[in-house]
Amino acid sequence: MRKSRTKVRRQLKELRTRLKELGEAQQRGEENTAEIESCKGEIQVYKKELQSIEEGGHTTFVAAKDMLQPKKGISAKNLRIQFRKNKLNDRISDLSAKLGDAQLPPDERETILEDITKLRDERDSLIQEKQALNEYNHTRFMQFRKEAVDEEKHQGELLEIEKKIADAETSLDESLESGEDATILAAKENLHLLLMEKTSIENFTHDLFLQNMESMKAKR
């Protein structure tokens, strides 16, 4: 475990250094938003892996790893789109410069204008594709973050209900020893409800269970 922890921390350090370099490059005018987002995503994943190592499990890390793969693919696509867009911009600039020639024949001018229109259409298509990829990228990241929070909440609810069940079982044992029927019945009902609540948590229907309990209380 110690070896794994050291390896992950080293990877985190390298990624944070890379993120700093990308941020500095962006300040110099480079368009590297996709790379920055990808790097941030990887940092989140390795943070989750470190957390899973500390907790002795890898459930959270598996979810994070699943999220990382499409994020990397999106980053690569964004880079290819940016490269192609830069080439198109250069070509459009070259053709536009030719239009400034007063001696340019009309038929050649018309051909250049048609070429520029086609290149601009292709560039617009790339811009739309890049936007769609970035929106998907952001959506995936937000989805992962929500899932991570929900998983932590779910595990917390399970731990809490299991503690209540353990206390209820102890109370039932004490009631059985006392021999008081009313106390035994109340203890059994309490334990039964807690077991039902645990089942609802495991089945991700806890909110519905709580709503039903509130409705039952209101009818009493």
Side-chain angles (χ1 to χ4, degrees):
M1 182 181 291
R2 184 176 180 180
K3 185 177 180 181
S4 298
R5 189 187 298 113
T6 301
K7 180 180 178 181
V8 172
R9 284 176 175 164
R10 184 173 64 251
Q11 289 169 323
L12 275 171
K13 183 179 179 180
E14 291 174 356
L15 283 168
R16 287 183 177 123
T17 300
R18 175 61 178 159
L19 183 61
K20 182 180 178 182
E21 292 172 351
L22 289 170
E24 292 172 350
Q26 190 177 64
Q27 289 178 355
R28 292 194 299 268
E30 288 188 25
E31 175 51 50
N32 60 359
T33 303
E35 286 184 272
I36 288 176
E37 286 299 312
S38 178
C39 190
K40 286 180 179 179
E42 290 186 66
I43 288 173
Q44 290 296 323
V45 168
Y46 285 114
K47 281 183 178 179
K48 287 297 177 183
E49 182 176 8
L50 187 61
Q51 177 184 337
S52 71
I53 292 172
E54 297 290 347
E55 294 175 352
H58 282 80
T59 302
T60 306
F61 174 61
V62 170
K65 189 177 180 181
D66 290 341
M67 183 274 293
L68 175 62
Q69 297 307 319
K71 200 174 190 71
K72 281 186 173 180
I74 287 171
S75 177
K77 288 178 181 178
N78 264 320
L79 290 174
R80 287 196 294 270
I81 288 172
Q82 186 62 42
F83 176 79
R84 178 58 182 160
K85 193 173 77 170
N86 290 340
K87 291 295 183 182
L88 289 171
N89 285 335
D90 291 342
R91 182 62 179 151
I92 290 171
S93 295
D94 291 342
L95 290 174
S96 297
K98 290 182 179 181
L99 292 175
D101 185 358
Q103 298 180 353
L104 187 68
D107 57 339
E108 189 172 341
R109 180 180 296 274
E110 184 176 348
T111 300
I112 290 175
L113 287 171
E114 290 176 355
D115 289 342
I116 289 176
T117 299
K118 291 178 181 178
L119 291 171
R120 284 175 175 169
D121 288 343
E122 185 177 350
R123 184 180 61 184
D124 289 344
S125 178
L126 287 173
I127 291 173
Q128 291 174 4
E129 184 179 357
K130 181 178 176 64
Q131 181 179 352
L133 284 170
N134 285 336
E135 287 175 355
Y136 173 78
N137 201 4
H138 180 68
T139 300
R140 283 284 301 173
F141 178 74
M142 295 302 292
Q143 179 185 351
F144 163 73
R145 189 165 68 177
K146 181 180 183 302
E147 288 174 355
V149 171
D150 289 345
E151 177 63 20
E152 290 176 6
K153 178 184 176 184
H154 186 245
Q155 292 300 321
E157 289 175 344
L158 279 175
L159 288 173
E160 183 178 352
I161 198 66
E162 285 171 357
K163 183 178 182 301
K164 289 181 179 180
I165 288 172
D167 292 341
E169 288 173 341
T170 300
S171 296
L172 178 58
D173 290 340
E174 293 173 351
S175 299
L176 290 171
E177 289 178 2
S178 71
E180 297 180 6
D181 292 341
T183 305
I184 293 172
L185 180 61
K188 285 183 176 180
E189 287 181 352
N190 182 45
L191 179 58
H192 177 66
L193 285 174
L194 289 172
L195 290 171
M196 287 177 61
E197 185 172 359
K198 180 183 178 182
T199 300
S200 74
I201 293 172
E202 291 173 337
N203 294 332
F204 299 93
T205 57
H206 192 213
D207 289 342
L208 180 60
F209 174 83
L210 294 177
Q211 289 175 11
N212 290 337
M213 290 300 298
E214 287 297 324
S215 297
M216 290 173 61
K217 289 179 182 178
K219 292 178 181 179
R220 290 178 181 176

